[in-house]
Amino acid sequence: MTLSETEIVSKNSFTPSEKLLSTEIGEYIRQIFTPTQGNSIEIQIDEMLEDLSQDFLIADNANTNVELEWIIKNFGDSKIPDQPINVESYFQSLNENVVAHSIHTSAPQFIGHMTSALPVFVRPLAKLMTAMNQNAVKIETAKSLSFCEREALAMMHRQIYHFYDNFYAQNIQKNQSTLGILVSGGTTANITALWSARNKSLGAKDDFLGIEKEGLNAALRFYGYEGAVVIGSELMHFSFDKAADLMGISTKNLIRVPVDANNRANIAALRQAVADCHIQKLHIIAIVGIAGTTDSGSIDPLEEMAKIAQENNIHFHVDAAWGGPVIFSRKHQHKLAGIEKADSVTIDGHKQLYLPMGIGMVFFRDPHLATSIEKQASYTMRKGSFDLGKRALEGSRPGMALFLHAGLKLIGQNGYEFLIDEGIRKTQYMAARIAAMTEFELLAEPDTNLLLYRYIPEQFREVAVKKQLSETDNQFINNFNERLQKMQRQIGRTFISRTTKTTFSLDIEIPVIAMRAVIANPLTTEADIDAVLNDQIQIALEI
Ligand SMILES: *Cc1c(COP(=O)(O)O)cnc(C)c1O
């Protein structure tokens, strides 16, 4: 196949891959790497993908109702083609097999997960980011971007900690200071925070070189501990299991204290856990407070947790991956009171900062804490350099800072405040609707913009209102809600996710299967919320 312009540009020609002659492969490779403005291959792909993106973005159903088995059958090929296949037919099949059955995360009636619509500027910016292809690991591959990233992180740091102008003037571009680290998500942010806390608290002293150089066993022996733990509520995200595993302290030493009826860490239980660790000579690497649990959006009593951490000289980490941006709302920021006392804070950019997937952040109260994880390499990452990779878990990484910087500047304090306030306002609308409908039961008053509720089949409604459901009634309702959620997902018009919430009745633990709504998409209206609830009622009638 010679890639003549007519062949590439002709749309709807489904030429299967034809063999390139070996002399022609070089010509083809040269062509796909040549960035001239008139590169016909790039122009053609650009046009095709632009059409696909636009169609994808305006779709209003949550997803198509094809079965996973059908999709799996289309992806059973483990052979790389010897010859490049025709560009047009490749993107055609990509459309049919991937794009067509991808989840419409920006659809207004897809209100079950933390992923939603994005502002329009991120799509053209993504093209620029890829065109520039900076590697944020070091100055030699990301010159100005490194400082742009530091500025964006400083803006977020200030939003959390509100230090003085002078503090920022001194630290924002000082290479010894790390106000925050841009990572790929909340998981990496949480791991980085605990890694820093671990290394700092078991650092070098006297003739001990520190945990980094001598390992966990030697560190515990030197400091006289029997083990090390992390303490938080039972609703800690599973990224903390990964962190505990990686740090070598074992997931068994991730201590999960119970939550109260509002899904907030029980403070008495936390105090008890700390006391128990002291008795058992267990080193507490960190106490973790959650600002916006993944399950229910609940916010731990951060102020009280900070106090316990302070009294015991323990690192206090706040996982605000989801709820962090509530600090932008003058009306609701009081719910996060105490976050400014945290030694480290995780916030996800790809959740409530409305930035594309792959943006997480960790912030440090002490700009020198991250030196506890610093590494050097001779070919780069030199001491005293501005190389961002020396205090980071990740190595090579993309210029995602462009999105964060643009978001903070193009949406601004007032824009983010509006987005947060609207989400919470619409969640309260949904809660009120649910409370007023006999078909549903509200399972918890929402702290922010996550809502837990369930469907009550008709025969149980009277008993449910009186709170007199038996365990078998509850089991039936659980099964019903599980089926309802699965059917709704399969049909694909609308979407709500599902979780299990433990409640107590006469001291007996009862698992309740809950519908979980996440109202963050600015495109979601009250009418969309009504439509989702009506869709569930309609599906329930068919069960
Ligand atoms: C989403 C989330 C995480 C994990 O973040 P990823 O970006 O998925 O890695 C951690 N903690 C909380 C509270 C979250 O909501």
Side-chain angles (χ1 to χ4, degrees):
M1 175 179 79
T2 52
L3 285 162
S4 68
E5 297 228 330
T6 46
E7 229 184 307
I8 304 158
V9 174
S10 69
K11 291 212 166 182
N12 307 320
S13 76
F14 301 101
T15 34
S17 76
E18 293 165 42
K19 290 262 154 83
L20 282 166
L21 297 172
S22 57
T23 49
E24 287 166 345
I25 185 91
E27 175 58 21
Y28 170 74
I29 295 297
R30 195 190 57 75
Q31 214 179 336
I32 64 169
F33 277 88
T34 304
T36 55
Q37 270 194 330
N39 189 320
S40 52
I41 301 180
E42 184 165 2
I43 292 171
Q44 188 206 359
I45 296 173
D46 239 1
E47 280 172 8
M48 276 182 87
L49 298 197
E50 186 55 31
D51 288 350
L52 297 189
S53 310
Q54 288 307 324
D55 290 349
F56 186 80
L57 287 169
I58 59 169
D60 57 6
N61 59 329
N63 69 88
T64 56
N65 67 354
V66 304
E67 301 282 350
L68 291 188
E69 288 71 26
W70 184 87
I71 295 175
I72 290 166
K73 271 198 243 116
N74 292 329
F75 291 99
D77 189 1
S78 60
K79 280 213 307 285
I80 299 169
D82 285 340
Q83 294 289 357
I85 68 168
N86 175 283
V87 165
E88 181 161 357
S89 50
Y90 173 71
F91 284 109
Q92 199 70 42
S93 78
L94 188 78
N95 183 34
E96 286 161 16
N97 296 324
V98 181
V99 183
H101 307 296
S102 289
I103 303 294
H104 296 137
T105 51
S106 64
Q109 295 179 16
F110 174 86
I111 50 170
H113 279 304
M114 293 175 160
T115 310
S116 80
L118 296 175
V120 294
F121 59 81
V122 305
R123 288 182 284 274
L125 197 52
K127 267 193 184 174
L128 179 67
M129 184 186 89
T130 315
M132 287 163 57
N133 197 30
Q134 301 294 286
N135 181 351
V137 72
K138 56 180 183 261
I139 292 287
E140 290 180 358
T141 53
K143 203 171 175 178
S144 49
L145 183 84
S146 308
F147 304 99
C148 174
E149 178 172 314
R150 290 184 66 106
E151 180 182 81
L153 289 167
M155 288 185 220
M156 286 299 296
H157 186 283
R158 187 175 190 136
Q159 192 71 16
I160 301 166
Y161 291 108
H162 304 288
F163 287 160
Y164 298 107
D165 287 346
N166 213 11
F167 172 87
Y168 292 101
Q170 280 177 14
N171 290 289
I172 181 166
Q173 299 296 358
K174 186 160 107 189
N175 63 28
Q176 293 96 325
S177 300
T178 305
L179 298 182
I181 304 175
L182 196 65
V183 295
S184 62
T187 298
T188 333
N190 285 336
I191 291 171
T192 306
L194 295 189
W195 178 26
S196 307
R198 185 197 76 152
N199 284 13
K200 172 82 191 296
S201 62
L202 297 171
K205 191 178 166 191
D206 306 331
D207 60 348
F208 177 65
L209 300 176
I211 184 169
E212 180 194 2
K213 298 204 170 63
E214 303 213 22
L216 182 63
N217 279 343
L220 296 176
R221 226 178 303 123
F222 176 81
Y223 282 97
Y225 293 120
E226 299 287 326
V229 305
V230 169
I231 311 178
S233 94
E234 59 182 298
L235 294 179
M236 268 188 293
H237 187 265
F238 73 116
S239 50
F240 290 102
D241 292 275
K242 298 179 185 176
D245 182 359
L246 282 167
M247 289 193 298
I249 66 167
S250 86
T251 52
K252 154 177 120 310
N253 279 346
L254 182 64
I255 299 176
R256 294 172 174 276
V257 302
V259 292
D260 65 19
N262 294 313
N263 296 311
R264 298 171 193 153
N266 181 316
I267 289 298
L270 177 63
R271 279 190 190 284
Q272 189 58 51
V274 171
D276 289 347
C277 287
H278 287 331
I279 293 168
Q280 294 171 55
K281 291 205 155 106
L282 295 171
H283 170 54
I284 304 169
I285 291 175
I287 289 177
V288 175
I290 315 168
T293 57
T294 319
D295 243 39
S296 69
S298 54
I299 299 166
D300 280 339
L302 303 178
E303 202 82 72
E304 289 167 83
M305 295 175 89
K307 191 156 167 275
I308 296 173
Q310 221 157 34
E311 283 166 8
N312 293 278
N313 196 22
I314 300 166
H315 181 103
F316 181 42
H317 175 67
V318 172
D319 179 5
W322 172 249
V326 173
I327 51 177
F328 283 100
S329 164
R330 277 161 278 211
K331 192 166 164 198
H332 299 287
Q333 61 192 184
H334 67 92
K335 295 172 183 169
L336 263 53
I339 194 171
E340 73 287 351
K341 301 200 170 106
D343 295 295
S344 55
V345 174
T346 287
I347 296 184
D348 255 336
H350 56 216
K351 288 177 180 167
Q352 296 207 84
L353 290 182
Y354 299 88
L355 302 175
M357 272 305 131
I359 304 178
M361 290 158 266
V362 57
F363 299 96
F364 302 105
R365 176 167 235 288
D366 169 5
H368 298 122
L369 181 64
T371 48
S372 71
I373 60 166
E374 184 168 325
K375 301 285 177 288
Q376 264 117 40
S378 52
Y379 57 92
T380 177
M381 303 296 138
R382 297 177 193 105
K383 215 176 163 65
S385 74
F386 273 101
D387 299 335
L388 297 173
K390 66 184 178 183
R391 290 178 218 127
L393 177 57
E394 290 163 270
S396 295
R397 62 183 173 84
M400 301 302 270
L402 289 177
F403 295 114
L404 176 64
H405 199 265
L408 297 176
K409 295 275 191 179
L410 298 177
I411 294 176
Q413 150 70 44
N414 291 352
Y416 279 121
E417 176 175 48
F418 175 82
L419 286 162
I420 294 294
D421 286 352
E422 276 294 282
I424 296 177
R425 185 186 65 74
K426 284 181 281 187
T427 308
Q428 283 160 355
Y429 167 83
M430 187 169 184
R433 289 291 298 144
I434 286 168
M437 293 166 95
T438 53
E439 290 92 343
F440 297 107
E441 178 186 27
L442 192 63
L443 292 171
E445 282 299 330
D447 263 359
T448 51
N449 52 350
L450 254 78
L451 195 61
L452 299 186
Y453 66 99
R454 64 176 173 172
Y455 184 86
I456 305 287
E458 195 161 3
Q459 67 268 37
F460 298 105
R461 284 180 197 161
E462 246 174 72
V463 197
V465 168
K466 290 188 211 143
K467 304 268 172 226
Q468 288 172 347
L469 291 170
S470 71
E471 228 180 305
T472 43
D473 294 345
N474 192 64
Q475 192 51 51
F476 185 94
I477 298 171
N478 276 355
N479 293 341
F480 193 94
N481 276 271
E482 186 172 338
R483 279 186 66 195
L484 173 55
Q485 192 268 347
K486 283 182 179 165
M487 276 178 75
Q488 183 185 16
R489 183 181 62 197
Q490 183 56 36
I491 295 165
R493 286 187 298 254
T494 63
F495 180 77
I496 293 278
S497 61
R498 150 168 69 85
T499 187
T500 305
K501 179 178 153 47
T502 312
T503 55
F504 289 88
S505 174
L506 305 168
D507 272 357
I508 305 167
E509 241 183 74
I510 301 177
V512 168
I513 291 187
M515 300 286 182
R516 171 176 170 271
V518 184
I519 317 276
N521 188 341
L523 303 172
T524 302
T525 62
E526 279 93 334
D528 289 314
I529 291 170
D530 291 343
V532 174
L533 292 173
N534 288 333
D535 196 30
Q536 289 190 318
I537 291 173
Q538 212 185 330
I539 296 166
L541 294 176
E542 290 160 24
I543 295 180

